Structures are given as structure tokens and as C-alpha cells.
Amino acid sequence: MKKLLLIDASNLLFRSYYATAYTGNLMQNKEGVYTNGIFGFAHAMIKLIDNGYTHILVALDPKGKTHRHLEYKEYKGTRKDTPPELIMQFPLMEEYLDALGVYYYQQDLYEADDIIGYMSKHYKEKFDEVTIYSNDHDLMQLLDTNVKQMVSRKGLKDVEIFTPEYLKEKMGVSPKQITDYKGLVGDASDNIPGVPGVGNKTAVKLLTQYNTIDNLYQHIDEVKGKLKEKLELNKEKAIFSKKLATIETDFDNTIDFNKTEYLGYNQEKLIDFYTRLGLYSFIKNMKIEKENKKQDDFIVIKNPAEIRVILGNECFMHLEYFGKNYHDASPLGFALIFSEISYYIPFDIAINSDAFIKFLQSEKIKKYVFDLKALTVILRWNNIIIKGIEYDLLLAAYLTSSSVNQDEFRDVCELYHYHDVDFEDNIYGKGAKYHLPEDKIHIKHAIDKVSAIKNTYEDALEKIKEFNQEDLLYNVEIPLAKVLSDMEYIGININPKSLEEFGLDLKQKIDETEQLIYDLSGEEFNISSPKQLGVILFEKMQLPVYKKTKTGYSTDISVLSKLKPFSPIIDLIIGYRTYTKLYSTYVEGLKSSLTLKDDNKIHTIYQQALTKTGRLSSKEPNLQNIPIKNEEGRALRKVFEASDGFVLLSFDYSQIELRVLAELGDVKNLIKAFKNNKDIHEETAKLIFKKDNISRKERSIAKAVNFSIIYGKTPWGLSEDLNISLAKAKEFINNYFASYEEIKVLIDKNIAFAKENGYVKTHFNRIIHINEIKAKNYQTREFGKRIAMNAPIQGTAADILKIAMVKIKDEFIKHNIKSKMILQIHDEIVLDVVKEEEKLVTEIVSNTMMNAVDFNVNLLANYSSGKNLYEVK
């Protein structure tokens, strides 16, 4: 059965975009590329293709004006401008269709409707069935005995199929009468006027009696009253509206019918597309075609005595475990490859073999793994210290592709076009269905993983060499992973009593603030509900409305900040949100985390392969976001304590990013100020205000300008931050660049490099991809430029901290130091220090941080000590 599918591309992409856009939570990949429209588009395309169409054509609207605009300049004039977040997804749609193997066609002056009309008229006789997929009612004029239209209500779960008979039943008109119908009622979405005052029922009644507009006007004297008057007065509008609504089915074109035959997708291109956009769920549902090659057999070791025979001096290795948090996960077994032979050793057998324990602990036996940090921590919890790890696939992949999905082994392999390993969800399930499968399934999965480590090894190293990242991999990231594994295993002490007291104090503040809000508002309501809060503030209390969303009034922090002068209730609401967030995220979150090992310690997981710039983040729990901007947040730090007989030491780089900026740009005035230990913000103020005596306010402005450059803020953003005019913000930034000319040169150089290569580099060759820099949309390109400005600075600062952490560990080993690094937050390193070692540790860490890298700019590390984190910061 031959079936032709004709798809209105813009209609589908717009609907896909707005299906989620109304929530305000637009999907983005790690590079900041918006993907919510393309996600819905791809989902629909896959569902449609599954219906067995033999031929498919996707019709695109032209990039410029249409022939209808030439006849009627107000055509579609009432439509709002297309959001830039959607505009940037149109080229993605074309790229997706190429990978999907679906033919698409676009022609100047002619709309998608016209292309579909041409195909429908000229090729319907070749097919048993022609289906038009669109919600545009104009296309219903094309319906015929074998031409139907599929209209979706909720994706493809709820569709309405229009045939000529169903159209007549539903709307009271035939396909041939659709243009006449539009001529009478018009079309607000296309700004087609029609006859003012003629609605659906009147139009249907007239067409039932007279069939066409032409025939109606031939019998206009039969129409009575005001209706006749309206029709006569607007005759030209009616006839012209019908013409505008009529789809062109005969025009010169270069449509290649042979390309409409659907022969399937390009697996490699499609997987690459999904991977770059972070649409991993589509890859999971693909029927991956495996290469026709013999899979290596593997041997399952069933006795500890057998292990000694297989061990060699070098191997690829993977430890498979079951559990979302590897601190308390269940290790299942080791998959290993020695001399091209694959083995699987169940964990209980492996750890009962002295030979295998010695193998794991041997520095001389080289081991090539995936996620050495997780492997090291799991073994530490089983009293085994692994050594000899030379290579980590996860870290190698992260360095060359910062958008890698670190939580999915398969996605990492996809970077090297390797598909012979399944997704974790397919093996273990997810959510309520997360479970341990039968042995043969997870054993085969472990073998597939170790094979992937081996088979991608050469490609991964080739990419590392291509970007000159050997030093970054072998001397920074891999040693750092070992440092972080120690920190995770050691953990940081929590005082349960202090945490309980902090929680009780917060609870009291929540209750008191809640009551004050009720008193000021005059009634009780759900303060955490934006909808109810909006009614109280803007309807009952009549406060100024600054922003509305599709769901009601906006009560986000930007709105509340503007409302502060109008009522004391605003400060209370902001306070209430702070207290409740602290309680739910930290009090309850930390209590939950303490049950992990029941040792009164927090054992976080550092996410080393997550951020684009190389900064560390953490989870389970997230210790990177411990608040310090308000007293309540700072008070939380009191619960993090030193071990008995120890003291906490905190070291952090002073103005590290400004120093990096000075170094990367060789900024003479900045370097001079840093070398002379000047107040850098005051020195900047002197330059941009062109005077020597600087007020506190002027210093604050200079500080904001300094950091606006680092974080790539626009003049508009700076004006918002400082509550000054846009012109004044531009003046400050222009004066800044005039004073630090080298910074402007550095920024322009980075932007030019990013435009040419699609990425920027840190001082240490970390690659930060910027897909936005080549986007067709102006706003997206500007966003890419801002990333190009600040990413090398932030990334270099992150690299310096990592290098320092690695060198500190080396120094501790050299001096036999018992004190330990236990926490890393932003630019801060926290250590649990034996009191007798405090002086020596302070000297070692300070000197190491200040001399971590060979820079012209002097690096400065501040430090403080105390019994808890509150005292050291």
C-alpha cells in the first residue's frame, strides 16, 4: 500500500514549541541551545513514521515574504514576532530532517500550504492514501476521496481525522467550500478580513443555500436586512479574502518526487544530532543496528583460585554496581580484558582472592577504566585502595566534549560513534521500576562496558592529542579524581545537635513570618502559591503589577524587589521564601544525607565532568550552594565542624578571575595594581571616573563593572544591577576598555577564535564549546559572544584551583601530613587539620596555591581557621 505523508513544518514546530513554552521552562542543552520545539517536532515525526508511510515530504514556509504578502501587505500582520528561542530551532529542524532521511522542500514566495497543495493535486493518483498533517484549516480545501487531514489535539495521542464527509458533518461545508467560508468569516490568525459581522453559523447557512460566494452575490437580492447590507458593503473584501485563502496548486517548482520515498534514517547522523542536543531519550528508543561482527566471548570466573591465572600487567577494567549513589551502592562484579580476552569476576569472589586484591593495589599494573572516582570510592568502602589507574574514559571524553552526559555510559561512547552498549535504564529500569536484573543481563552489560572502554581508547586519545590536552588529562584531571575520591570518602563532620537547633530556629522564624504576613494581608493563604500570593498582592492590596504570565501574576524575586517600597509585606515574603528554602533543602536534606553511612558525616559526590568551564559541582547533597549572602544562610555553616582534636582551615583565592583576566590579556595596569597589592576596585574606579579620590559608591560601581566584564554582562545588565541609565552603563564600560585596552583586545580575540572554531580554550587547553556563536539568530549569537568573553577566564580559574589541589596532595604525601582536604566550594578549599600541623599546613597550602602556576600576576590565597565553617568564613 502506497501512502504519502505531507507535513506542514512550521505548524508542527510552532505547536511543539508553545506546548511547553507557556510554562516558562524551556528545554536547553548544556550549550544553552533551546530544544523544546525540536523535541516535540522529533517526537511527532517518529510517531508519524511508525504509521508506515512509503513517501514523506515536509513543506517549509519561505524565509521571506510570500506571494500573498505582495498582494496584501497586512497578510499575517497581526501575528506576534517569533521568539528568538524558537527561531534558532528552525535550522535544527532541517538538520534533524536530513539525519532522519526525510525530504523537505522550501521555495521563495510560496508557503508550505502551497507546496502541500501542489503535491496533493499532482500526486494523489499515485497513492492509495495521502495524509496531510497540520492543524491549519486552510488545508482542508485539499481533502478528497483518498486525501485526509490529521489534526492533533494533544500530540498524537488525541487526533482528529478529517475526510470530506467528516468535514461536512463537523463544519457544515465541503472541501471546495473552505475558501468561500474563509472569504466570508475571514481568518484572524492570517489577518484575512472576510466580511465583518459574518460568523460561522451565518457563513455555513449562506454556503448551504448558495454553494459559493460568486453564486451568493449573483443572488444577493434574496438576502434580506442588515446581512445584505454587510455583504454588499464588503463584496470586494469577501472575494479578495477567498483569493488569499485559496491554496496555489499549480506553480513552477523544483520538487524532486523521487526524494519523497522514505528509506530510513542515517543512524550515525541521528545519534550525533540527539547527542549534541541532549535528547538522549530518543537514542534510548532507537532500534540501534549493530555492526555485523562477532562479539568476543567472555569467561565468568567462579572460583577465587582461577583469578591468579588470568592476571596480567595491563588491563581494561570496569566495576559494575547497582545503586544511584555509589557511596552505598552494591558492587556486582568486575569486567576485565587481559590480552584481548574478556572476563567477569563477581565481586564477592574477587575480594576473596588475595591475588586480585594485590592486583588492584599494585601501582605497576596499568588499569584503564571509566569513572575512576566512583570505582575508587566503592573500593575504599570495601577497605581496598586501588592504584595504577592510568586512564579514565569519562574524563577523556569530558575534556574534548564538555557537554558529555556523565551519568550515562552509553552517551559517552556515542561521542566516538560506538553503539555496542545499552542504556542504563534499559538494564535497570528507572523510577519505581528501578531493579537489579538477573545475573546474565548485568554481567553482559558490564562486559559491553569494558569492551567500550577498550574499543574507544585510541579514538579518545587521538582527540586528546588533537587538542593538546595530554597534560590536562594525565596531570590534572586524573590526579584530581583521586584527590576528590579521598575527600568524598573522608567526608565532613556534621554536628546533629547544631543541625537540629538550626532547624528549630528556622521553623520558629517561618511560623513568625507567616503570621506577620497573614496580619498584613488580612487573611490566611498559601504563601508558597504564586497564584494565591498574586491575588493578595495585586488584587486585594492593589500593589503595582510589573509582570504577568499566562498563569497569572508574576511574583518572582525581580518583581518582589521592585515592590519593596510599597509595602513591608514584601520583605517578609522574601524572608519567608529564604527560611523555607533553607529548611527544606538543607535541614531536611542534610538529615537525609546523614543516614547514608550513619557516621555523622556528609559524603557528597563531586561532579567532575559536568560544567562547561571545568568548575566542580556536587550532589547528594549539593555543598556548592551553601548560602553565604544572608545571616541565616551563613549560620548553616555552624553545623559543619572539625573532627575531634582538629581545626578547620579554609583557603580561597583572592579575586582569582580578575587576576586571570590580567594574565590572559597581559593587562599592564591590572598587573601593576595586583603586584603592588592595591585595592583593584578602587584602582579601576580611579580610571573609569578619572580622579584620585574615590567614594565608597564609586568603588562599588567599579567593582560591578569589573565583574560585569568577567561574566560577560551587557550594558543593559549592568544598568539593571546598578539601577542606572543604559547610557551611563555604556559610558562606564567604554571608560573601562579605554583604561584597560588589552582587555578589549583579548575579548575580540576570543570572540574571533570562537566564531572560527566553535569553541574557546582556557590557558591550559580546556575546550569550551560554544554552538551559539554560529547561530542564525542574532540574540543567540550575542549570547555566544558573552560565553566566549568569560568562559576562558572562569575555566582558567577553575583549572588553577584543580592544579593547586593536586599539588597540595603531593606536598602532603611528601611531608607525611595527616591533615586532609575535605571540602571544595567555588574558590575555597577546606581542610580538617591536626592542631599540631596547623602552622605547617598553612605554610604548605598557602605557598602551593600562590605558586600553583607560572603566572606574571601574583596569586593570593587568603586563609582563616575555626572549629566550624561559620568561623572560617
Side-chain angles (χ1 to χ4, degrees), residues 300-304 307 317-322 326 328-336 343-354 356-357 360 374-386 436 439 442-443 446:
V300 178
I301 301 298
K302 298 178 180 177
N303 191 305
I307 295 177
M317 180 172 73
H318 177 70
L319 173 59
E320 187 69 7
Y321 60 88
F322 176 69
Y326 55 68
D328 66 347
S330 301
L332 303 175
F334 293 90
L336 306 107
Y343 302 91
Y344 180 83
I345 310 176
F347 190 75
D348 57 343
I349 292 175
I351 61 173
N352 281 302
S353 164
D354 290 339
F356 193 73
I357 299 298
L360 290 174
L375 168 64
T376 304
V377 171
I378 293 172
L379 292 178
R380 283 289 295 272
W381 287 118
N382 286 274
N383 302 312
I384 301 168
I385 298 177
I386 188 171
L436 181 63
D439 286 355
H442 69 70
I443 289 174

Side-chain angles (χ1 to χ4, degrees), residues 774-788:
K774 295 184 179 181
K776 293 182 180 180
N777 177 255
Y778 172 79
Q779 287 92 340
T780 306
R781 287 198 308 275
E782 290 300 300
F783 176 61
K785 288 180 184 179
R786 293 197 293 276
I787 298 175

Side-chain angles (χ1 to χ4, degrees), residues 547-611:
K547 185 165 60 172
K548 291 189 81 172
T549 66
K550 287 193 174 183
T551 56
Y553 303 102
S554 172
T555 59
D556 62 26
I557 188 62
S558 65
V559 171
L560 292 181
S561 297
K562 291 176 182 177
L563 292 173
K564 281 185 178 184
F566 296 96
S567 173
I569 198 173
I570 303 301
D571 279 325
L572 292 171
I573 291 166
I574 293 172
Y576 179 84
R577 287 183 178 178
T578 299
Y579 304 146
T580 53
K581 175 75 186 250
L582 278 170
Y583 191 85
S584 62
T585 303
Y586 292 104
V587 176
E588 294 179 345
L590 291 177
K591 282 182 179 179
S592 175
S593 296
L594 284 175
T595 63
L596 187 72
K597 293 294 180 181
D598 288 325
D599 57 358
N600 287 338
K601 285 186 174 185
I602 293 295
H603 300 275
T604 191
I605 292 177
Y606 287 100
Q607 295 176 291
Q608 189 179 351
L610 182 69
T611 67

Side-chain angles (χ1 to χ4, degrees), residues 256-290:
D256 188 343
F257 174 75
N258 292 327
K259 290 184 178 179
T260 65
E261 184 177 3
Y262 185 67
L263 301 174
Y265 53 76
N266 182 311
Q267 178 173 293
E268 189 171 311
K269 278 187 178 180
L270 199 54
I271 289 173
D272 178 65
F273 178 83
Y274 289 145
T275 301
R276 282 189 293 106
L277 292 191
L279 304 176
Y280 300 107
S281 60
F282 289 113
I283 302 176
K284 292 177 184 178
N285 294 324
M286 285 175 68
K287 296 180 176 69
I288 304 296
E289 297 174 9
K290 307 278 185 180

Side-chain angles (χ1 to χ4, degrees), residues 307-413:
I307 295 177
R308 188 182 301 274
V309 181
I310 70 170
L311 299 177
N313 294 322
E314 186 177 51
C315 78
F316 294 92
M317 180 172 73
H318 177 70
L319 173 59
E320 187 69 7
Y321 60 88
F322 176 69
K324 298 294 186 179
N325 185 328
Y326 55 68
H327 282 293
D328 66 347
S330 301
L332 303 175
F334 293 90
L336 306 107
I337 298 178
F338 289 103
S339 304
E340 304 298 322
I341 301 176
S342 302
Y343 302 91
Y344 180 83
I345 310 176
F347 190 75
D348 57 343
I349 292 175
I351 61 173
N352 281 302
S353 164
D354 290 339
F356 193 73
I357 299 298
K358 288 178 181 178
F359 153 78
L360 290 174
Q361 295 179 336
S362 172
E363 190 76 65
K364 295 180 180 179
I365 298 176
K366 296 179 180 179
K367 305 166 186 78
Y368 307 86
V369 306
F370 176 92
D371 196 354
L372 77 87
K373 184 162 63 66
L375 168 64
T376 304
V377 171
I378 293 172
L379 292 178
R380 283 289 295 272
W381 287 118
N382 286 274
N383 302 312
I384 301 168
I385 298 177
I386 188 171
K387 296 179 181 178
I389 296 176
E390 295 282 314
Y391 168 78
D392 185 336
L393 169 59
L394 173 61
L395 296 178
Y398 172 58
L399 289 182
T400 55
S401 181
S402 55
S403 62
V404 64
N405 179 7
Q406 64 167 6
D407 295 322
E408 180 57 75
F409 190 104
R410 165 62 180 271
D411 292 339
V412 174
C413 297

Side-chain angles (χ1 to χ4, degrees), residues 316 368 391 452-462 474:
F316 294 92
Y368 307 86
Y391 168 78
I453 298 170
K454 177 180 182 296
N455 291 324
T456 60
Y457 178 68
E458 295 296 336
D459 287 343
L461 286 193
E462 188 177 327
Y474 295 117

